[in-house]
Every structure is written in structure tokens, then in C-alpha cells.
Amino acid sequence: MILIVDDTPENLISLKKVLERHNFEVDTAASGEEALKKVLKNEYVLIILDVQMPGMDGFEVAEAISGYSKAKETAIIFLSAVNTELKFITKGYSSGGLDYITKPVDMDILLLKVKTFYRIYEQSRKLIEIQNALLDEIEFRKQAERKKDEFISIASHELKTPLTSVKGYIQLLERNIDKGDIETVKKHLGKAQVQLEKLNELIADLLDISKIESGKLKFNKKHFVMDAMLDSVIEIINQSNPEFKIIREGKAELEIYADEMRIEQVVINFLTNAIKYSPGTSEVHIKLSADNDQIYLGVRDFGIGINEAQQKHVFDKFYRVEETAIHFQGLGIGLYISAEIIQRHGGEVGVKSILGEGSEFYFTLPLNQEKETD
Ligand code: ADP
């Protein structure tokens, strides 16, 4: 928008008309004081400013405007009657641009100048936009880099912990073998095996992430019965967590067409999380149901729960609930891998949870999808 400032009403009206005829949006002020008020409220591309006005003259107005951050990009064209005034023109204004036109106004020249200032204004706007977009992008890179560094440091720590344990057990084994204490040797071998299994799972997760990133996560789909798979998963979990009761609710004896190992991986991930994030409890429920189109599997715990805002993010890569992360070991990739597996089977993952009361992590898988998801 253009602001015309002139104390002579005829000048205001005639300038306004000409500019509007050329499709410019125009505002007017009859004094320097009124102009300053308007500049505070609105944004102008250009101000056409009469120099000689009673009260504040044009130069004083320009000088005052130069202090307004709102008018940083605003250009000014002075309308000056006398040539001697021109030496003051650069005084006090050094922002958007300055020019002058002597009275009586040559409309063609004025229009030319107005158009030029508009073009410069548009170009500088675009440059600022590009600059902001670039700054945003740099910040987003930087953030990704920070996340990655953080992940590498957590991952190395997580890998080092079981490795150090295994090293310790091997040293103990050496000593107990020398002593011929077979019972203790067996006990330490069992413990070393548990730690090695942890290492194996961590490395498998890390490999899965890199397969997902490179689009190389492949599925080996076959027909299988969900119920049978669940029985074997529960047995595995019971062995490592005998203190937890895993209660089955509902059945789905139908066959589904999917990668059994990968679906098993998701169920194990949900169950180990349900146990890990529920200290002081001893029950987890598995809910299984099916209708004509899909199968539903939910793992319900009575643990710490997740607030609503954080529920949206738990399936994101590297996401861990900040408030609880220090109390539980983890890398924040299990649910991301699970979501990828289920979505690539044409299903959905989700969570229902109440903070402090527990969570239900679930997935659905389409039935009769052999052709579409193959
Ligand atoms: P990890 O458990 O290794 O951190 P996941 O990807 O499995 O990674 O889970 C991501 C985050 O979601 C966890 O860090 C935790 O904050 C939250 N979470 C997952 N499962 C549960 C659950 N059953 N109850 C509460 N919070 C959970």
C-alpha cells in the first residue's frame, strides 16, 4: 500500500486518483502527525511525502519514521517545491530508499518511480523469504545432526553394557573352570547368554533401521494362524519374565497372510515394552479379535502410561518420553520399526493410554489382502 501525505486536499485527491487508476492501493494523511500514526498501525511499501507542511514538515516525518522497525523496508518519495530543499533529503533517513519529485508533479515520472520502488520492494521481500527458508533448513539439518549424535552416543552405551557383562562372566567362568565348580560355571554361562541375546536384539534393531532407511526391509509372507504364533511368543516372554502373568483375551483362529517373524517381532516389542514400562505391576493382557475385514491385537499394561501429547510421537524414530527416559533403558526405535512393519502389511498401529494408569498398544492387519499387500 502507498501512503500519500500532503496538507493540500486537492493534491491528495488527484494523486490518489492517478495511482488508483494504475491499480495501486492508496491511503492518505493530511499532516505529518497523522502520517506517523498511520505508519505505526499499517505497513506501507512507499510513502509519498510533501516536504512543506504546517506542523511537522516532510523531513521531520521521515526522520521519525526511520526509527520505526515497522517501516524498515518502506521507501519515501519527497514532493518538494523548492530545489534548495533537496540538500536535506538524505538527512535522517537511510532505510527502504529515498527519492524526490519537484512540484508541479509530472505524473508519468511519479508513476515510473512508484513502479520501480514497488519492484525493489517485491524483490527484497522475496530475498528475505528465501533467506528465512534457508535459515529454517539449516536449523532443521542441525537438529537432525544433533539427534543422530545423541542416538550414536546412546546406542554405543547400550551396546557396551551387555558387552561388559559378557566380558565379566567370561572372566568368572575362567576362574570357576579352574576350580572345577561346574554348577557356578553353568549359572554364569546362562547369564552370559542372556546378555549376548540382548546384544543380538540391539544389533538386529539397528540393522532394521538401516534397512528401512535404504528401502531394503523385505517381507517373507505366508499363511499362518495368529493364535498359534501368540502361544509361542507368550512362552518366550514368560521364560524371561516369570514374575509377569500374560493373560489372553479373545481368540482369532483365522489364518492371516503376513511375515510371521516380523509380526512376532512387533508383538514381542509391545509385550517387552508393556513389562518394561510397568514397574511394580504383574499383569499384561493380550486382546485379540477379528471381524470380516481385519484382525486386532492389543497389548494392555497397567504401568506408567503416556500423556496425550506424547502419544502422538511414540512411533517416531528415536522418540523417547523425556520425563521417563532416564529410568528405563532404550533407544527409541522399537516402536518405529513396529509401525513400519505393520504399515507395510497394510495395517495400522496406535496407542490408547492414560498417564499413570497404563497403555494399550495395538495394531490391525487386513484379512484377505493376499494380492494387494504382496
Ligand atoms: P525404547 O523403549 O527402546 O525407548 P520404543 O520405540 O519401544 O523405544 O518406545 C518409544 C518410547 O515410547 C519409549 O521410550 C517410552 O517412552 C514410550 N513407551 C513405549 N511403550 C510404552 C508403554 N507400554 N508404556 C509407557 N510408555 C511406553
Side-chain angles (χ1 to χ4, degrees), residues 20-297:
E20 280 178 345
R21 221 182 300 133
H22 286 83
N23 299 322
F24 289 106
E25 224 186 310
V26 179
D27 197 1
T28 55
S31 69
E33 290 80 359
E34 192 189 349
L36 288 185
K37 274 188 208 151
K38 291 207 163 180
V39 171
L40 271 182
K41 256 200 269 160
N42 310 316
E43 242 171 73
Y44 297 102
V45 175
L46 177 68
I47 302 174
I48 299 173
L49 190 55
D50 186 19
V51 172
Q52 281 194 320
M53 290 185 292
M56 278 183 104
D57 72 18
F59 297 132
E60 286 169 322
V61 174
E63 199 164 342
I65 289 173
S66 71
Y68 294 179
S69 63
K70 219 175 178 168
K72 238 176 26 204
E73 307 298 324
T74 310
I76 293 183
I77 298 178
F78 289 105
L79 299 182
S80 90
V82 206
N83 257 340
T84 50
E85 288 169 347
L86 298 179
K87 67 174 186 285
F88 297 110
I89 277 182
T90 52
K91 200 181 95 184
Y93 193 83
S94 54
S95 302
L98 272 191
D99 207 340
Y100 68 90
I101 278 190
T102 46
K103 286 181 180 175
V105 176
D106 179 329
M107 282 302 176
D108 288 337
I109 292 194
L110 180 67
L111 273 171
L112 213 69
K113 294 197 174 195
V114 167
K115 282 179 188 163
T116 305
F117 274 121
Y118 250 89
R119 213 173 34 241
I120 293 171
Y121 180 82
E122 285 305 324
Q123 283 166 350
S124 77
R125 260 286 147 92
K126 270 188 201 137
L127 277 177
I128 289 169
E129 259 172 39
I130 293 171
Q131 190 186 27
N132 286 340
L134 280 174
L135 285 175
D136 281 355
E137 203 165 308
I138 290 168
E139 187 49 37
F140 177 76
R141 272 189 212 126
K142 273 195 200 156
Q143 263 181 23
E145 196 74 7
R146 263 201 298 274
K147 254 184 160 181
K148 209 163 141 190
D149 288 347
E150 204 178 304
F151 173 75
I152 289 172
S153 113
I154 298 174
S156 332
H157 177 77
E158 293 278 305
L159 289 170
K160 194 135 197 273
T161 311
L163 203 65
T164 311
S165 297
V166 171
K167 251 169 92 179
Y169 286 125
I170 288 176
Q171 278 166 2
L172 285 173
L173 277 171
E174 222 171 11
R175 254 185 262 162
N176 286 306
I177 284 175
D178 288 344
K179 278 198 244 161
D181 184 351
I182 297 302
E183 270 317 298
T184 313
V185 166
K186 275 188 188 163
K187 205 171 84 191
H188 288 152
L189 264 178
K191 288 194 170 166
Q193 237 158 8
V194 170
Q195 295 301 323
L196 279 175
E197 191 44 44
K198 267 195 189 167
L199 255 183
N200 196 27
E201 282 166 16
L202 277 171
I203 292 168
D205 275 358
L206 291 173
L207 282 174
D208 280 350
I209 286 275
S210 86
K211 279 186 201 159
I212 291 172
E213 306 284 275
S214 59
K216 286 186 185 141
L217 189 67
K218 297 277 182 289
F219 298 111
N220 180 17
K221 294 181 185 173
K222 289 195 186 91
H223 289 278
F224 69 93
V225 181
M226 196 77 160
D227 258 335
M229 184 266 276
L230 276 187
D231 287 338
S232 90
V233 167
I234 290 173
E235 213 180 301
I236 298 169
I237 298 287
N238 268 335
Q239 263 173 17
S240 44
N241 303 276
E243 71 284 10
F244 262 85
K245 232 187 357 212
I246 299 165
I247 297 165
R248 294 269 305 261
E249 291 175 22
K251 272 188 175 281
E253 282 157 341
L254 299 158
E255 273 197 342
I256 62 165
Y257 185 73
D259 185 323
E260 184 170 0
M261 296 272 283
R262 289 297 185 180
I263 301 300
E264 186 179 289
Q265 178 182 350
V266 176
V267 180
I268 289 178
N269 184 219
F270 282 8
L271 277 171
T272 46
N273 275 352
I275 292 169
K276 177 162 82 173
Y277 294 103
S278 306
T281 73
S282 58
E283 236 178 59
V284 169
H285 293 216
I286 298 185
K287 302 177 181 177
L288 195 58
S289 62
D291 59 23
N292 286 337
D293 304 323
Q294 61 178 23
I295 203 161
Y296 174 99
L297 187 142

Side-chain angles (χ1 to χ4, degrees), residues 354-373:
I354 297 174
L355 191 65
E357 292 187 16
S359 317
E360 179 164 332
F361 278 85
Y362 64 87
F363 65 77
T364 61
L365 282 175
L367 290 166
N368 319 315
Q369 278 256 320
E370 193 162 333
K371 290 289 169 298
E372 289 97 304
T373 60

